[in-house]
Amino acid sequence: MAGRLSGKIILLSGGTRGMGEAQVRGMAREGAQVIFGGRDRAAGTAIADSLDGNAHFLPLDVTKAEDWRAAVAFAVGKFGRIDGLVNNAGVGATRPLVDISDAEWAGIVAVNQNGVFFGMREGARAMLASGTRGSIVNVASPAGTKAHANLVAYSAAKAAVIGMSRAAAKELAPQGIRVNVFIPGFFATRLLTETASSAALDRGAQLTPLGRVAQPEESVGAMIYLLSDESGFVTGTQIVADGGYTA
């Protein structure tokens, strides 16, 4: 039986841990060829080796436009096109507004906003060049839609992701390219555990109406839906998987 992504060529950033790794594995199981990037070469190589030729790792620093161009060129050179692009890479930081340094602000924006822009731009260029009616999925956060103290820089970048995605969806729709946003709530990823205390994680579970923190694998179904032909009439919108946190 063919998978939901059978024959699709997917390029994903931030694929060496957490939700990104879970998504790489899930997409490969559904029949996609997945090209995924990240900074952890050892982890990326191990993941690719475990997926029987259905996944291909390459180093990718999303803050560098030239890295995105190289990743897109690799995908197109090997498979002829890109059907789906996932901007998953992100960094987090909790800091009071008055304590955010110039370097911290620039670093968060570089990854969470500029990285998404570079990925969308290069992915869209490839889709337009090949005439592919593709799907772009950008990962945001409830912090982009709901006020959170001590998250000014992170909130700003994630709100920008949502705004850029909606604008790109309008612009690319006539060419059949869809752009959507995936908004995960509290997931047990290293990004969350590295930037929050155990008490904060417990608080996240308490704030979630379903009463728990999600596992990375629980992000896979929504992502596969947005990349598949099942969502062919879905663009310019958001899918939220937050256990009711923003309800």
Side-chain angles (χ1 to χ4, degrees):
M1 181 177 176
R4 295 166 67 193
L5 297 177
S6 182
K8 300 283 190 187
I9 312 303
I10 310 296
L11 174 61
L12 178 145
S13 70
T16 59
R17 64 184 188 179
M19 286 191 294
E21 178 183 353
Q23 290 161 14
V24 169
R25 294 185 182 281
M27 292 170 195
R29 284 196 302 269
E30 290 293 336
Q33 286 286 338
V34 187
I35 302 96
F36 68 102
R39 297 184 180 184
D40 190 334
R41 291 173 182 260
T45 300
I47 293 166
D49 289 346
S50 73
L51 291 172
D52 300 322
N54 291 323
H56 313 267
F57 170 75
L58 70 168
L60 173 61
D61 180 346
V62 298
T63 69
K64 297 179 178 178
E66 59 268 28
D67 275 23
W68 271 113
R69 286 190 285 269
V72 169
F74 174 85
V76 173
K78 188 171 184 66
F79 298 105
R81 69 185 191 282
I82 295 171
D83 297 301
L85 170 72
V86 179
N87 278 299
N88 180 72
V91 295
T94 303
R95 185 85 68 187
L97 168 63
V98 296
D99 294 334
I100 300 170
S101 70
D102 293 352
E104 287 171 323
W105 171 270
I108 291 170
V109 170
V111 175
N112 293 352
Q113 181 177 346
N114 296 349
V116 172
F117 167 73
F118 293 146
M120 277 204 301
R121 183 183 66 186
E122 300 307 322
R125 284 174 172 172
M127 291 175 185
L128 291 169
S130 63
T132 301
R133 300 174 71 85
S135 173
I136 297 172
V137 184
N138 298 321
V139 178
S141 165
T145 63
K146 178 180 173 70
H148 292 75
N150 301 322
L151 284 177
V152 169
Y154 184 77
S155 295
K158 291 301 187 178
V161 168
I162 295 169
M164 290 192 300
S165 300
R166 294 175 65 187
K170 282 269 191 178
E171 180 177 333
L172 297 171
Q175 287 75 43
I177 298 171
R178 298 180 294 109
V179 185
N180 291 292
V181 177
F182 176 63
I183 300 181
F186 293 100
F187 274 70
T189 65
R190 203 157 85 187
L191 174 61
L192 180 61
T193 58
E194 285 178 350
T195 57
S197 65
S198 59
L201 290 173
D202 291 341
R203 179 61 175 159
Q206 293 169 7
L207 290 170
T208 301
L210 285 180
R212 63 180 178 85
V213 172
Q215 296 303 309
E217 291 74 19
E218 293 180 271
S219 70
V220 175
M223 192 64 69
I224 287 173
Y225 168 72
L226 289 172
L227 292 167
S228 75
D229 295 338
E230 298 165 18
S231 59
F233 202 59
V234 178
T235 194
T237 193
Q238 306 160 18
I239 286 187
V240 182
D242 68 358
Y245 174 62
T246 55

